[in-house]
Amino acid sequence: MTRPIIVFDLDGTLIDTAPDLLDSLNHSLAAGELAAVDETGFRRFVGHGGRVMIERAHAAQNKALVAEEHDRLLKLFLDHYTINIPGKSRPYPGVVAALDRLQAAGYMMAVCTNKYEANSVALIGALGLEKYFAAICGQDTFAFRKPDPRHLTETIRLAGGDPHNALMVGDSQTDIDTAKAAGIPVVAVDFGYTDRHVREFEPTLVISHFDTLTPDLAERLIAAAR
């Protein structure tokens, strides 16, 4: 049997990227002559990606958004975000210690995110976390993306793991639905980017800090799902 593998979502799970994504959103909105969004009220939309964030900002300000302008603002958003990596983004408390103990216990690890692969690799590298991950797969790595379960299962295979000996960790309904569709247990963190509490989506387990994510816990969750 291959070593067990834990697959993590990125934004809102491993790394708090909201400050930089909101900065890039406001940069693009300024180019469209819209007011900046309030970070506190808009943070819950960060996990939906730049295109949806731009849509929500226009709707909140009762501004029409035609396709050409949407595409222009999204390009500005992505360009601004890319050149400023890692910016203010930092791992959540306990992440590095959790990755260290999981790696020491023999777990393989990977990232499965709907962020673009190049930006994901750049961010993880800039924060010195690349040594932990056997694969980093983004929305453009394959011809499918979460919530398609193949995004998760193919990430596992690319890392050299087995979907029957795996655990997913995420922060959103998309992550939870993806793992369920793949038949893989899923731990949801409750501090990420979602407008509803993750318990409503019925993950295998909800945690509030990475201190809770131990090798023993992972082993129990994987074993129970077999």
Side-chain angles (χ1 to χ4, degrees):
M1 181 180 291
T2 60
R3 288 189 294 149
I5 185 168
I6 302 180
V7 181
F8 297 89
D9 174 55
L10 188 57
D11 298 57
T13 300
L14 286 176
I15 300 173
D16 183 7
T17 53
D20 296 306
L21 292 169
L22 290 169
D23 282 351
S24 295
L25 174 63
N26 285 329
H27 171 79
S28 70
L29 294 178
E33 299 183 347
L34 271 75
V37 300
D38 173 65
E39 178 175 340
T40 302
F42 219 80
R43 188 180 177 92
R44 67 187 185 277
F45 299 127
V46 166
H48 296 291
R51 185 172 289 277
V52 172
M53 291 167 68
I54 291 167
E55 288 174 358
R56 296 293 178 90
H58 278 74
Q61 298 182 43
N62 296 311
K63 288 275 194 174
L65 180 60
V66 298
E68 293 81 1
E69 178 69 352
H70 200 172
D71 291 342
R72 182 181 80 89
L73 296 183
L74 180 62
K75 184 178 187 306
L76 288 172
F77 171 93
L78 292 171
D79 288 348
H80 183 271
Y81 179 75
T82 299
I83 66 175
N84 286 288
I85 289 172
K88 305 167 191 170
S89 297
R90 296 293 181 270
Y92 282 103
V95 162
V96 174
L99 297 177
D100 279 335
R101 64 177 169 264
L102 291 167
Q103 189 175 69
Y107 281 83
M108 292 189 293
M109 290 176 284
V111 169
C112 179
T113 173
N114 278 345
K115 197 185 200 73
Y116 286 105
E117 180 183 322
N119 283 346
S120 303
V121 171
L123 178 60
I124 289 168
L127 295 174
L129 302 177
E130 69 277 6
K131 64 183 179 181
Y132 296 107
F133 303 112
I136 299 170
C137 298
Q139 66 163 267
D140 52 339
T141 304
F142 309 109
F144 35 78
R145 56 184 285 188
K146 296 183 295 184
D148 190 316
R150 294 175 295 172
H151 193 179
L152 175 55
T153 55
E154 290 305 306
T155 295
I156 291 168
R157 292 190 176 99
L158 187 62
D162 180 348
H164 296 102
N165 198 20
L167 176 68
M168 175 78 183
V169 181
D171 74 307
S172 68
Q173 181 177 9
T174 297
D175 297 320
I176 294 165
D177 287 349
T178 301
K180 285 181 174 181
I184 292 171
V186 56
V187 172
V189 300
D190 65 4
F191 46 74
Y193 310 142
T194 175
D195 52 359
R196 293 164 58 191
H197 197 285
V198 287
R199 75 167 65 91
E200 294 183 34
F201 311 123
E202 300 182 345
T204 311
L205 182 71
V206 177
I207 64 173
S208 299
H209 197 285
F210 269 92
D211 287 351
T212 308
L213 187 61
T214 64
D216 287 346
L217 174 66
E219 182 180 4
R220 290 198 303 272
L221 294 177
I222 294 171
R226 289 196 188 111

